[in-house]
Amino acid sequence: MPAARRRKGKGGVITVPDATPSEDTPSESKDSDTPTDSEPDPKDANDDERRRRRRRSARLLQLYVPRLPVVSSTFVVILFALLAPLADRAYHRLATEGRLASDVASVTHRVGRFQVKWDINELRLSVLHNRGDKCKDDCAHIAWSTVPGLPFLTAANGPVRVHQLMAGHYRVDIRRRLQTTVQTLDSVELKDDDDSPSVVIRGVLIKEDARLDRWLGHLGDVSAAWNDLTHQRQQFKAASKIKARYTLTFSPQSDRRLAFEFRWEDEVPGVQRSPGGRRRNVKINQIFMRYAHTPDERIYGLGEQYSSLEHNGKRLPIIAAEQGIGRGKQPTTFMFNRMFFGSGGSWHTTYSAIPHYVTSKARSLFLTNFSYAEFDFTDDEKISILSTTPTNRLTGQIIGARNVPETVEAYTEYSGRMGPLPEWVYAGGVILGMTGGSKRVRDVVAKLKDADVPLAGLWLQDWGGARNTSIGIERVWWNWELDESQYPDWRELREEAAAGGARLLTYVNPFLMDASGSKGRLYREAKERGYLVRTVHGGVYRLGSEPGVSFGLLDLTNPDARDWIEDIIVRMVDETGASGWMADFGEYLPFDCKLHSGEMPVAVHNRYPEDWAELNRRALRRAGLETGSGDSIGGDGVFWSRSASTLTPKHARLMWLGDQLVSWDAHDGMKSALLGMLQGGLSGLGVSHSDVGGYTATPGRHRTRELLMRWMELSALSDAVFRTHQGNRPLHNAQPWDTPELLDHLGAFARLHRCLAPYRRELMRESSLTGMPITRPLLMHYAHDPVASNVATQFLIGRDILAAPVMDRATPRVHVYLPPGDVWLDVWTTQLSPIQPTGANRDDEDADDFDSRNHHAGYGAWVTADAPLGWPAVFIRRGAGKPAQAAAAAMREWAMERGGLPGHRRVYPMDPVEKLVLGLY
């Protein structure tokens, strides 16, 4: 074998054959006529030189050949970034395949302040809104518009399955087998009946063969494609398709609300494959409504959404449910989903899903159906709404407004508005939540009295008895009768509390516990009378939230059941002398149950929360705890609700944000509570609060003192009511009365909450008149600013005060965004912020220019404020109203009573490097 030389190459060691001839090479004959080595041939020398050059070239190619990074992580990321938008566009094109067909001439009909416009050239239907009496037609703006050339209504058939996980948790699985692809628009008519004009649009929804099937059919069988052109074949194809006629009606409800109603044939003959073939009827049980959306338009709302402030790029289901434990925080969510069958929840699970959204351009739409729906915002150019209504009717309303506050005002004209609370609820101090019986309550009240903590009420959740569960948490008996073994001297306890200026509050929910003895008496009575939700086989539908425990749910579609539980609540007030109660739950109605009314559960599930709130409101009035209506509501009673649906603001007195983890996180902790409040305010839930310190402790996680103290600071500023909760594991959680430091902090911020009472009184009055929430996201008044409209850790109290409490562990400062168009002053020092925003406030009520491209919005400012424990960052807008100025002055007096601000506290421009690291540029 020839010798070989080894060369070190860029990609490793390369073996290069030696130029020396092999021993196996036959030697040249001496008798040959060819020249010998002593007489070299010039031609052979040239060949050898060429071979050497080729070998050198081959070595260079092997040494420097480029290597494609096919397995490189960088290459994969770049490839994904390039292909993902293409795949996304392809998916949405296939998912929304279809076309709109019409020969109706362009026409515009006016109904009230709205115009319904059909454009044959663009194949587009639009709704325009005239913003005021001073405006002419040229200042009307588009409130709603379809996508040119695409169907805005699509019907489909397929199974809709709701999987019942652990009680109160659901997973919805929707599949489509048939879907219409063509929509015709055959007429646009104006009807003016009894001074109530309406526009009626009629057409047909048609199922065509898919585009790919048509192409393959033409390519595979030319004769069949030719036959399709014959008159007889075209007649058969036209008659054999799925066709469903529809009607769309627009009718004005007010100057800013236009109602729409879709009706369609809910059962039609299916596809006929051949002449004379069998046709089965197809039930249309899914309806899609698609319309245009601009990429720069940001979307908010849909009830109390705890994980998402801006919904662009997301698909959100509208279903009231338990929010879960963790909601995406790992490994907590994974653990609870596996151990307790879906109880970990997801990022979109919420107690109060409301089918109403608002955009940064003040466009808004809401559904008035209660059936399960999905709002799909994943496409940059259109919005899609899926409804699974069991009837052939989809209703909703379109809002026309100039700014976000106007959309909230217009929406709450329909949903109702929450009125002012009794003064003792928001101005009396802390409502202390606790359990444990008379002796323990007296001991804790004595500690609060010694620490000079203002006490407005004692919320005794275990008035009906308490029990320790098999999974290590404390729960109360769901049997709505006073437990005299727990509180043998309830009357004396109430009188002692009243002498100190405090009231007693209790607890109730729509469940009844199945238990032996007296704790199950009401369950047995309700079962005998048929007041509980039943299975399809006729038995009581038993729910369970823990091993070995079951309970029944009241059937609120049964008028007798409603009257019965209402009587029990009124009797509870009479016997206990309570001034209010928590009206818990409302999200547990199963989808596979049988109701007294005969209605389908899918049509009632999302309505149950408002039926429960309405029942409690009637009980409040019957018990003599409420009088009057609107902004003149009187009486001393209050109840607070967790679940909500569209009309809940009309019935609820006070909202509460449910059961958050005792943590700082944004999935299911302190930050999520604030976000839920801000989102809920856009859908009419404007008077709300959270459990101070959170509720849910899990193995390995308990409430720390720092978290409890920071949550007190948050609630004193953000919440309509300052109420604490022991949590589900009281012995593991820090409690407000545990140490002198905690008691001092509780007292200080109960007094701060009381300082803001006159300002909140004005804000509640405003809420009862306009629907505006007390605590508002920045986007409410600065929707034109993309930074302000995406900030979820600070908020406005009314229009004029901006608060940014610390919401992170071991953090003595907070970054604050000061929106453009206003000048901000530090409440504690009255000093101007170090960097002032520029530009005008585009959301000013007098602004008529709706196009942000013609408006200079200016720039906001990021500042850093020192916020040691006990001193949250608060700013006031220069030019604020008198109530806000008085509130700021009261806060400064509160600071002086505590000895004044810390000497080192300051507000300064945010460090550019930190701003870059946090992605705030």
Side-chain angles (χ1 to χ4, degrees), residues 647-909:
L647 298 181
T648 295
K650 179 180 180 181
H651 307 297
R653 294 291 282 121
L654 172 66
M655 292 302 299
W656 141 70
L657 294 160
D659 303 335
Q660 279 75 46
L661 287 175
V662 289
S663 70
W664 305 84
D665 71 276
H667 295 282
D668 189 18
M670 185 181 187
K671 296 184 183 72
S672 72
L674 175 60
L675 180 54
M677 180 184 295
L678 299 179
Q679 289 280 34
L682 296 172
S683 296
L685 308 178
V687 184
S688 186
H689 74 295
S690 66
D691 293 331
V692 174
Y695 170 79
T696 307
T698 59
R701 177 182 289 109
H702 61 276
R703 181 197 293 161
T704 64
R705 294 179 184 179
E706 183 190 8
L707 174 67
L708 180 57
M709 295 169 78
R710 287 300 194 185
W711 210 310
M712 290 177 189
E713 297 173 14
L714 168 66
S715 294
L717 296 169
S718 65
D719 292 4
V721 174
F722 193 64
R723 181 183 59 82
T724 69
H725 199 308
Q726 289 186 138
N728 64 333
R729 306 177 79 191
L731 298 179
H732 296 78
N733 288 333
Q735 300 298 345
W737 54 84
D738 281 351
T739 66
E741 181 188 16
L742 285 169
L743 278 169
D744 181 68
H745 208 74
L746 176 68
F749 283 91
R751 285 188 289 273
L752 177 62
H753 188 273
R754 197 165 57 178
C755 285
L756 294 171
Y759 185 43
R760 285 199 176 92
R761 183 187 304 116
E762 292 299 316
L763 295 178
M764 283 189 283
R765 189 183 67 83
E766 180 186 4
S767 179
S768 67
L769 296 175
T770 66
M772 289 292 288
I774 296 175
T775 304
R776 306 172 188 178
L778 299 189
L779 66 95
M780 182 72 77
H781 298 287
Y782 303 96
H784 64 284
D785 182 37
V787 178
S789 59
N790 202 31
V791 173
T793 54
Q794 60 189 66
F795 51 90
L796 295 168
I797 308 171
R799 175 66 183 90
D800 296 324
I801 297 178
L802 186 152
V806 172
M807 303 180 72
D808 291 293
R809 181 189 296 108
T811 304
R813 57 183 185 146
V814 64
H815 302 305
V816 186
Y817 182 74
L818 303 177
D822 284 308
V823 176
W824 297 91
L825 294 80
D826 182 7
V827 162
W828 307 118
T829 63
T830 69
Q831 294 180 355
L832 292 176
S833 58
I835 301 178
Q836 294 301 314
T838 60
N841 181 6
R842 179 181 165 271
D843 290 338
D844 183 74
E845 294 182 358
D846 297 328
D848 286 330
D849 182 11
F850 195 79
D851 191 348
S852 61
R853 293 173 299 179
N854 299 326
H855 186 92
H856 176 63
Y859 300 94
W862 280 102
V863 299
T864 300
D866 288 336
L869 201 62
W871 298 99
V874 188
F875 297 83
I876 186 170
R877 189 170 65 102
R878 188 160 68 180
K882 291 182 178 179
Q885 293 181 20
M891 293 174 72
R892 287 191 290 273
E893 290 180 10
W894 171 84
M896 295 301 295
E897 291 174 359
R898 299 180 66 203
L901 287 174
H904 58 276
R905 184 186 176 278
R906 61 196 181 103
V907 178
Y908 50 94

Side-chain angles (χ1 to χ4, degrees), residues 340-360:
F340 299 105
F341 198 33
S343 62
S346 183
W347 67 269
H348 55 71
T349 47
T350 175
Y351 308 108
S352 57
I354 298 176
H356 164 249
Y357 71 86
V358 60
T359 75
S360 57

